[in-house]
Amino acid sequence: MLAPYLPLTRPTIDEATIAGVGEVLRSGWITSGPKVKELEAALSLRCAGRPVRVFNSGTCTMEIALRIAGVGPGHEVITTPLSWVATSHVILEVGARPVFVDIDPVTRNIDLDRIEAAITPATRAIIPVDLAGLPVDRDRLYAIAQRRGLRVIEDAAQSLGSRWRGREIGEGGDFVSFSFHPNKNITTIEGGALVLNDEREARLAEQYRLQGVVRTGFDGMEVDLVGGKFNLTDVAARVGLGQLPRLDEFNLRRRELVRGYFERCATPAVRALGLQLPIADFTETNWHMFQVVLPAERLTITRAEVMAKLHAAGIGSGVHYPAIHLFGVYRRLGWKEGDLPVAEGIARRILTLPLFPLMTDADVGRVVEQLAGILHAHQKS
Ligand SMILES: *Cc1c(COP(=O)(O)O)cnc(C)c1O
């Protein structure tokens, strides 16, 4: 019997959450309201009591953080080329210039050794990304930021529940941005959260979230800045309230599955294939993704062909990510091949394998067996 198709990822939504969503829908209040406030309070508890505001994406969170930090035209923001395009698009959205710094080939995160050389008098902020949930070294990052007077917007879209030296991401730092897209470790369908430093920033975040509006009393309204429409609905917040209490359980299950990946990749036959594995971290990472780098120089087939063969074998896979600076928008700003050779090399060869809490250990075995079979059958002689 053929096993059912194994997708790259899939959310875990329990029946209690579905029932809770039904209650919100019947309640008469379905857009931003009490559930949003409840979710913000629950997230704040996880973030050492810091102010947290939720939004309808983990993209607008970063744009709003940049606006609160006063970043705009004439400014530069340092970031990584190996991320979802949102990370650098938000820099363009506020009128500033993204400055990409190459990645570390082992962590696949921004190379902290290269940041200082990229700082100019126009630099205002750094947006690091915890790719696959592996935290960027916060000690070194904040040492640079403090020494050079820069704001940090942590793109922690993938690292909710990850830790740096035992403290959860979001407990410390400057701005911290999370995403609740369905592929992330917990979801609100679409949504995001921003951890802020104080009540003044939180009030500004609320203004940017909803057309700049400030209300007072029964009939008072003032608008003194231009905001967008970035509020989360109570329906979505109720999904999040069903997800957040299960975050640790989900992350533990991801970690167990990843142990299975490492064990199965450690056999002599698989090792001989030359796959590059991620850092085997079982204390700090929330294992948002499990990504291998293909030994392209040894293969007679392309990554797309490997993915097609996995698909034909009933297994989903993905690419996270193509190097951002080589997309048309960024080429037009002057970026080109060869500018960031480490990121470009990894972006061409990286492959994300299925990983989500509902997967079984047997699924992990099947993925490694199929992938190893495909690579073995297409070795250069
Ligand atoms: C998912 C993701 C985002 C964007 O989050 P949305 O909620 O989809 O807007 C930004 N950065 C990274 C690294 C992500 O993985």
Side-chain angles (χ1 to χ4, degrees):
M1 199 189 77
L2 211 63
Y5 193 86
L6 179 67
L8 178 63
T9 183
R10 136 178 221 167
T12 309
I13 310 283
D14 53 46
E15 290 303 322
T17 303
I18 294 170
V21 165
E23 279 168 31
V24 173
L25 286 171
R26 287 186 200 99
S27 74
W29 193 284
I30 57 178
T31 188
S32 310
K35 296 298 172 196
V36 160
K37 287 224 155 58
E38 232 184 281
L39 180 59
E40 288 175 341
L43 286 164
S44 175
L45 269 182
R46 271 202 94 117
C47 296
R50 299 179 66 192
V52 179
R53 293 297 180 271
V54 295
F55 301 82
N56 59 21
S57 78
T59 300
C60 66
T61 44
M62 296 189 283
E63 183 184 324
I64 288 169
L66 286 167
R67 291 192 194 282
I68 294 172
V71 177
H75 298 153
E76 294 176 358
V77 179
I78 290 173
T79 192
T80 171
L82 196 69
S83 182
W84 176 236
V85 288
T87 309
S88 54
H89 275 5
V90 294
I91 301 167
L92 294 174
E93 287 283 359
V94 302
R97 203 172 86 80
V99 174
F100 296 104
V101 166
D102 212 345
I103 62 167
D104 175 321
V106 178
T107 64
R108 303 165 185 168
N109 286 331
I110 193 166
D111 187 341
L112 292 156
D113 285 332
R114 297 176 194 258
I115 288 182
E116 294 217 61
I119 296 173
T120 74
T123 309
R124 291 293 179 277
I126 309 173
I127 307 185
V129 174
D130 303 318
L131 190 72
L134 180 75
V136 169
D137 182 329
R138 296 296 198 272
D139 300 342
R140 294 183 60 203
L141 173 72
Y142 280 99
I144 296 167
Q146 260 155 29
R147 192 160 58 238
R148 308 300 293 261
L150 303 176
R151 297 301 299 263
V152 175
I153 295 108
E154 298 181 18
D155 182 349
Q158 303 185 0
S159 53
L160 186 66
S162 293
R163 291 168 176 274
W164 176 253
R165 292 196 193 285
R167 285 179 88 202
E168 219 163 271
I169 300 304
E171 284 193 57
D174 193 352
F175 296 106
V176 183
S177 167
F178 296 116
S179 166
F180 306 128
H181 179 274
N183 287 357
K184 303 293 154 65
N185 292 28
I186 63 167
T187 188
T188 59
I189 307 176
E190 298 287 353
L194 183 62
V195 187
L196 301 124
N197 295 290
D198 51 40
E199 288 308 319
R200 185 196 67 92
E201 286 184 359
R203 271 198 309 280
L204 279 172
E206 288 172 10
Q207 280 185 272
Y208 282 118
R209 180 168 67 179
L210 224 161
Q211 320 284 19
V213 168
V214 180
R215 290 182 186 279
T216 45
F218 274 95
D219 64 352
M221 173 166 153
E222 171 60 312
V223 181
D224 60 3
L225 61 82
V226 180
K229 190 68 167 65
F230 300 127
N231 56 306
L232 191 75
T233 69
D234 259 23
V235 175
R238 179 60 187 87
V239 176
L241 284 165
Q243 292 269 290
L244 187 59
R246 300 193 61 187
L247 174 64
D248 294 332
E249 166 205 336
F250 291 162
N251 287 352
L252 275 174
R253 179 65 191 142
R254 286 174 176 273
R255 186 186 292 179
E256 278 173 22
L257 291 163
V258 166
R259 278 191 197 279
Y261 268 122
F262 276 104
E263 277 164 25
R264 286 173 162 92
C265 289
T267 62
V270 179
R271 285 174 63 122
L273 295 169
L275 278 173
Q276 258 170 263
L277 302 180
I279 293 180
D281 167 56
F282 293 104
T283 55
E284 306 208 300
T285 305
N286 69 357
W287 286 107
H288 171 62
M289 295 191 282
F290 185 78
Q291 299 178 288
V292 296
V293 176
L294 296 176
E297 62 294 339
R298 299 201 203 169
L299 299 176
T300 57
I301 54 172
T302 64
R303 177 176 61 186
E305 287 165 333
V306 172
M307 294 173 77
K309 287 177 189 298
L310 281 171
H311 177 71
I315 296 169
S317 61
V319 172
H320 304 89
Y321 294 94
I324 297 177
H325 67 290
L326 300 181
F327 288 126
V329 167
Y330 296 90
R331 285 180 187 271
R332 287 201 289 280
L333 296 173
W335 296 92
K336 58 185 186 313
E337 263 105 6
D339 284 347
L340 305 161
V342 181
E344 290 166 27
I346 288 182
R348 273 194 300 271
R349 296 177 296 141
I350 201 162
L351 185 68
T352 309
L353 300 178
L355 182 62
F356 54 94
L358 292 171
M359 259 175 85
T360 65
D361 300 317
D363 289 331
V364 172
R366 199 174 125 219
V367 173
V368 176
E369 189 186 323
Q370 290 293 333
L371 177 64
I374 292 163
L375 299 185
H376 186 75
H378 300 88
Q379 298 274 308
K380 278 186 186 152
S381 49

